[in-house]
Amino acid sequence: MTACKHEHEHKTPEQLLATARQVCDEQGRRFTKLREHVFNLIARSTGPVKAYDLLDQLRPEFGSPKPPTVYRALDFLSGLGLIHRVEALNAYIACDHSQGRHIAEFFICETCENLEERSANDHIDCVPDGFDIRRSVIEHYGICKNCAA
Amino acid sequence: MTACKHEHEHKTPEQLLATARQVCDEQGRRFTKLREHVFNLIARSTGPVKAYDLLDQLRPEFGSPKPPTVYRALDFLSGLGLIHRVEALNAYIACDHSQGRHIAEFFICETCENLEERSANDHIDCVPDGFDIRRSVIEHYGICKNCAA
DNA sequence: CTAAAATATAGTACACTATAACACTATACT
DNA sequence: AGTATAGTGTTATAGTGTACTATATTTTAG
């Protein structure tokens, strides 16, 4: 377990948005108002966001959206790799590494709820013989430096 | 990513049960009928089991249990490290490595739903400086050798 | 042995998370 | 314009999990 001291920059919401637009464009999909708004809410949040919180935040500008509305946007965005789902929190976070797909690895502070994203190195020692990995969920929960006091 | 060909034995439900009893004993906790029954249902299942399926399987022998009943048993068992929760499936599996705590790593076939448990080596390259990991969720989804055909 | 403390069970009610199914609208393309 | 496709709105419901209260059962200490 090696501590990591080199800098990991964090993209601004504006940068994230620009990337999202571009990826969407390259894939020939439409970055609609709704999708943009949902993405922005996630990108501007300080931590992982829950689907029903997004739902609340869409009101009243987008009428009274129902769950499928937000889940469709979430599916779309995660299908393009623009956001990740944090499985153990039932929450969503904007991808900080938007250039190209990668295996995301999260470090989540249980005190301040901050989340750090890394790209996992696929040094998995002990894959069952012949197992073809399609998707990985890697989430670490603990206490961050700031909260250790 | 190194394929792993050495043998990983799988414990029988009987062995799992014996270990569970022992761990429970060592901790001075009570392995009650309810807890034993829930543990057995999980240990005898071929794959991860969902809480509400357990609930169904407890009937009618244990009356008409309500969700809190099964969740309490699940909390107890996972608190002792006897079962693990598979986060992305909302499901539970008996721990195959019951001697001592470890970081579990799962390989789950999306076709046959079989699950292989490994002990994760904590070679995490890039932990944020000062982050103290308390709990890790590591789950790989894909296609197993048998289903690759 | 008995009372107090700790542990375990039961149940109600509700909160939170997610999807199926169907109707409708907007956009893209010849 | 007409058709195919993609996107959105809505209703209803399924699936997952917990807060809270009450009761019963050990275990421990006096």
Side-chain angles (χ1 to χ4, degrees):
Chain A
M1 183 142 92
T2 315
C4 161
K5 307 212 177 195
H6 58 274
E7 282 306 310
H8 291 269
E9 19 183 332
H10 292 262
K11 293 204 184 135
T12 64
E14 289 72 23
Q15 290 172 316
L16 290 168
L17 183 60
T19 308
R21 248 189 238 291
Q22 185 191 331
V23 168
C24 199
D25 223 59
E26 285 165 7
Q27 303 291 319
R29 309 296 303 276
R30 280 153 58 197
F31 201 60
T32 63
K33 279 289 166 219
L34 175 67
R35 288 166 177 175
E36 175 177 341
H37 201 79
V38 169
F39 182 79
N40 262 323
L41 289 172
I42 299 171
R44 292 175 188 286
S45 155
T46 55
V49 200
K50 310 211 131 206
Y52 277 68
D53 290 341
L54 291 170
L55 210 44
D56 290 339
Q57 294 176 37
L58 286 172
R59 290 186 255 261
E61 195 177 345
F62 284 79
S64 292
K66 311 292 183 281
T69 296
V70 83
Y71 280 106
R72 277 192 290 244
L74 292 171
D75 286 348
F76 173 83
L77 295 169
S78 66
L80 255 44
L82 300 172
I83 63 172
H84 299 292
R85 177 178 158 83
V86 186
E87 292 292 342
L89 297 179
N90 298 334
Y92 303 84
I93 187 105
C95 177
D96 224 358
H97 301 206
S98 307
Q99 26 260 31
R101 297 201 153 271
H102 66 116
I103 299 174
E105 178 167 14
F106 301 122
F107 296 86
I108 301 139
C109 178
E110 291 177 314
T111 300
C112 69
E113 299 187 339
N114 185 58
L115 180 152
E116 283 288 321
E117 178 181 355
R118 296 281 186 270
S119 234
N121 310 304
D122 61 349
H123 293 324
I124 305 167
D125 285 338
C126 204
V127 179
D129 185 30
F131 192 95
D132 176 22
I133 298 178
R134 297 284 171 83
R135 182 173 87 91
S136 291
V137 173
I138 309 180
E139 302 172 3
H140 306 285
Y141 294 82
I143 310 294
C144 75
K145 194 179 186 180
N146 288 340
C147 295
Chain B
M1 182 144 91
T2 315
C4 161
K5 307 212 177 196
H6 58 274
E7 282 306 310
H8 291 267
E9 19 182 331
H10 292 263
K11 294 203 183 134
T12 64
E14 289 73 23
Q15 290 172 316
L16 290 169
L17 184 59
T19 308
R21 248 189 238 293
Q22 185 191 330
V23 168
C24 200
D25 222 59
E26 284 166 7
Q27 302 291 319
R29 309 296 301 277
R30 283 150 57 197
F31 202 59
T32 63
K33 278 291 165 217
L34 175 67
R35 289 166 176 175
E36 175 176 342
H37 200 78
V38 169
F39 183 79
N40 262 323
L41 289 173
I42 299 171
R44 292 175 188 288
S45 155
T46 56
V49 199
K50 310 211 131 206
Y52 277 68
D53 289 342
L54 290 170
L55 210 44
D56 290 340
Q57 294 177 270
L58 287 172
R59 288 185 256 260
E61 195 177 344
F62 284 78
S64 293
K66 311 293 182 275
T69 296
V70 82
Y71 281 106
R72 275 189 296 249
L74 291 171
D75 286 348
F76 173 83
L77 294 168
S78 67
L80 255 44
L82 300 172
I83 63 171
H84 298 292
R85 176 177 159 85
V86 185
E87 292 293 342
L89 297 179
N90 299 335
Y92 303 84
I93 186 105
C95 177
D96 224 358
H97 301 206
S98 307
Q99 26 260 34
R101 297 203 153 272
H102 67 116
I103 299 174
E105 178 167 13
F106 301 122
F107 296 87
I108 300 137
C109 177
E110 290 177 315
T111 299
C112 69
E113 300 186 339
N114 185 58
L115 180 152
E116 283 290 320
E117 178 181 355
R118 297 281 186 271
S119 235
N121 310 304
D122 61 350
H123 292 325
I124 304 167
D125 285 338
C126 204
V127 178
D129 184 30
F131 191 96
D132 176 23
I133 298 178
R134 297 283 171 82
R135 181 174 86 93
S136 291
V137 174
I138 309 180
E139 303 171 3
H140 306 285
Y141 294 83
I143 309 294
C144 75
K145 194 179 186 181
N146 288 341
C147 295

